[in-house]
């Protein structure tokens, strides 16, 4: 069965589809938190700006891939209110035929407040995302053509596990990216999502949490995956493989941070694009860092535009 799945250059992206409500608080959260009252927090922050943007990790990554000229297959669940966003993504070359539309639920909502130090407090409402578990990934891949990789991003936890198992059954390489859903996953689920992944994405905090969730050491995790990519904000990116010393890729300097939301998704889009083109991991990471910097300088997760300078940063 595996032999029937030739490796192409397309990427399938599974993950949440959401509407982002991004608020800006001009003060510092830390100044309002009383150490001896943390067990009974009741706070309200007066925001001075609101941006309503389209988001969700699946859509954000697909947007970035579309912007650099690829035509990813987007796989996720949304409400009937998602039609306008789907049309916008299709205009970029994103294949939205893998988006399940719920007849009863609204598209997921992400409400995030950012303070002056770029700290964030957020709430996520799943909505239609809960129906992602009903998506038949194997059938979608069979209809949509050849794929180099399936990226399995944060989504309904059951859907994430089902998509991972579908990739294993079909012999399609996959990237594990549980990110914020690590808080919802148990040990067995996390191990099933990670084991056998060609790529594993996390940030520095999630890397430690992933080890705690799996019960594996970093060395044991590396024996389960191909490349472990850990983003470290302004400190760049670490690339790790079993039996090799880790490699470091520096971050791209940013002028003014407009909004940190979605920078990690932009990085993933750049890295996955390089991977699809057959680039080595360090070069793919440089493109990821360049797109992340552009996203940081833009308000919203799907507002940046790749530039000639961004591509020059990865030229060899």
């Amino acid at each position: 069965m595996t032999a029937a799945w030739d490796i192409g250059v397309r990427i399938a992206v599974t993950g949440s589809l959401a509407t982002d409500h991004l608020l800006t608080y001009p003060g510092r959260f830390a100044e309002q938190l009383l150490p001896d009252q943390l067990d009974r927090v009741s706070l309200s922050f007066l925001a001075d700006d609101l941006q309503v943007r389209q988001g969700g990790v699946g859509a954000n990554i697909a947007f970035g891939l579309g912007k650099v000229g690829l035509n990813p297959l987007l796989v996720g669940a949304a409400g009937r209110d998602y039609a306008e966003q789907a049309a916008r993504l299709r205009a970029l070359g994103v294949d939205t035929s893998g988006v399940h539309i719920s007849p009863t639920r609204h598209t997921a909502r992400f409400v995030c407040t950012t303070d002056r130090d770029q700290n964030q407090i957020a709430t996520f409402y799943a909505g239609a995302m809960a129906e992602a578990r009903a998506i038949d990934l194997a059938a979608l891949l069979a209809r949509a053509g050849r794929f180099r990789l399936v990226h399995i991003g944060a989504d309904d936890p059951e859907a994430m596990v089902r998509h991972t198992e579908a990739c294993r059954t079909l012999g399609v390489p996959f990237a594990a990216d549980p990110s914020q859903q690590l808080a919802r996953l148990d040990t067995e689920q996390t191990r099933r999502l990670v084991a056998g992944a060609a790529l594993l994405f996390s940030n520095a905090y999630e890397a430690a949490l992933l080890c705690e969730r799996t019960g594996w050491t970093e060395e044991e995790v590396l024996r389960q995956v191909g490349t472990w990519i850990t983003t470290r904000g302004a400190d760049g990116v670490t690339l790790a493989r079993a039996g090799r010393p880790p490699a470091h890729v520096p971050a791209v300097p940013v002028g003014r941070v407009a909004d940190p939301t979605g920078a990690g998704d932009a990085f993933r889009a750049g890295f996955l694009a390089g991977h699809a083109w057959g680039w080595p991991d360090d070069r793919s990471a440089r493109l990821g860092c360049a797109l992340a910097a552009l996203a940081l300088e833009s308000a919203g997760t799907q507002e940046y535009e790749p530039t000639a300078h961004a591509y020059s940063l990865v030229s060899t």
Side-chain angles (χ1 to χ4, degrees), residues 182-195:
L182 280 170
R184 293 277 304 274
L185 300 169
D186 61 28
T187 297
E188 180 59 24
Q189 287 175 318
T190 310
R191 288 184 173 189
R192 290 171 67 187
L193 290 174
V194 169

Side-chain angles (χ1 to χ4, degrees), residues 28-288:
R28 293 185 170 93
F29 295 145
E31 294 174 350
Q32 310 302 321
L33 297 171
L34 302 176
D36 61 342
Q37 299 291 317
L38 294 181
D39 60 337
R40 52 176 66 89
V41 174
S42 179
L43 291 171
S44 176
F45 299 100
L46 182 61
D48 61 6
D49 185 58
L50 167 65
Q51 299 285 333
V52 179
R53 309 282 186 179
Q54 296 303 316
V57 297
N60 291 343
I61 296 170
F63 167 86
L65 288 168
K67 276 292 186 180
V68 297
L70 296 180
N71 62 325
L73 172 66
L74 176 60
V75 180
R80 286 180 291 182
D81 54 330
Y82 200 70
E84 182 178 346
Q85 173 62 0
R88 180 172 181 255
L89 291 171
R90 285 195 297 271
L92 294 175
V94 176
D95 180 351
T96 62
S97 64
V99 176
H100 164 81
I101 300 299
S102 169
T104 58
R105 293 183 170 101
H106 289 287
T107 301
R109 294 288 188 272
F110 175 66
V111 182
C112 181
T113 303
T114 303
D115 75 359
R116 66 187 298 178
D117 294 328
Q118 304 303 315
N119 296 310
Q120 296 182 311
I121 295 176
T123 300
F124 188 84
Y125 165 68
M129 190 182 82
E131 297 182 20
R133 66 187 65 181
I135 295 172
D136 187 343
L137 180 63
L140 289 174
L141 296 181
R143 289 198 303 267
R146 298 174 298 171
F147 287 84
R148 182 176 180 86
L149 186 83
V150 175
H151 179 272
I152 300 173
D155 203 342
D156 172 74
E158 184 176 331
M160 295 169 69
V161 173
R162 284 171 56 88
H163 295 339
T164 303
E165 295 299 339
C167 289
R168 289 196 184 98
T169 299
L170 297 170
V172 179
F174 67 93
D177 188 10
S179 56
Q180 60 261 43
Q181 287 293 43
L182 280 170
R184 293 277 304 274
L185 300 169
D186 61 28
T187 297
E188 180 59 24
Q189 287 175 318
T190 310
R191 288 184 173 189
R192 290 171 67 187
L193 290 174
V194 169
L199 303 173
L200 171 62
F201 290 94
S202 68
N203 61 29
Y205 177 80
E206 291 161 356
L209 182 57
L210 186 142
C211 288
E212 186 273 332
R213 282 288 185 270
T214 59
W216 292 334
T217 65
E218 290 187 6
E219 292 74 17
E220 289 171 328
V221 172
L222 286 173
R223 288 199 291 269
Q224 298 286 335
V225 304
T227 302
W228 187 355
I229 305 108
T230 304
T231 58
R232 303 182 183 278
D235 293 327
V237 178
T238 300
L239 305 174
R241 292 181 68 93
R244 302 183 189 177
H248 178 73
V249 175
V252 172
V254 175
R256 184 185 72 86
V257 175
D259 178 10
T261 311
D265 298 333
F267 170 83
R268 286 155 173 77
F271 190 99
L272 291 172
H275 183 81
W277 295 325
W279 291 3
D281 288 343
D282 59 341
R283 190 181 181 197
S284 297
R286 291 201 298 274
L287 178 58

